[in-house]
Amino acid sequence: MFCGVLTIIAPVTATGLSNQESVSVMIGNFGTTTLTNFPVELYINSISVATEIVTLSLTPGGTSTYTFNSTVDFSASGQYDCQVIVNYPGDTISS
């Protein structure tokens, strides 16, 4: 099994972001079995801000967009380090 984040879709680099921004990512399944009910973790500047369970079914070779239910405060001007990790049980590589 292997799944991971392909890209962060939103928010994009911009000024004027709010204190309730949604974070969306594209997740890919690089394995040979359908994946469902797996945790994704969101870190901003190395601080965990959300851990959620993705309930969609992700078929082998498939991709899907996931939007975190939790929002993030990006209202302060500056640079943010955003990291999303997929921790599928039994996957030997977290990404």
Side-chain angles (χ1 to χ4, degrees):
M1 288 176 265
F2 178 65
C3 61
V5 175
L6 298 171
T7 189
I8 296 176
I9 298 169
V12 294
T13 301
T15 57
L17 295 174
S18 75
N19 64 347
Q20 293 186 342
E21 292 291 328
S22 295
V23 176
S24 297
V25 295
M26 177 71 66
I27 299 173
N29 179 352
F30 310 109
T32 57
T33 59
T34 297
L35 307 177
T36 188
N37 296 322
F38 52 91
V40 290
E41 302 171 28
L42 173 62
Y43 293 85
I44 306 297
N45 297 332
S46 300
I47 298 170
S48 176
V49 296
T51 299
E52 298 180 5
I53 302 297
V54 177
T55 58
L56 57 88
S57 290
L58 193 55
T59 58
T63 61
S64 186
T65 299
Y66 179 76
T67 300
F68 281 87
N69 295 311
S70 302
T71 58
V72 179
D73 182 358
F74 288 123
S75 61
S77 181
Q79 183 173 338
Y80 295 90
D81 176 37
C82 300
Q83 181 181 23
V84 178
I85 298 173
V86 176
N87 278 321
Y88 193 84
D91 196 345
T92 57
I93 304 172
S94 295
S95 62

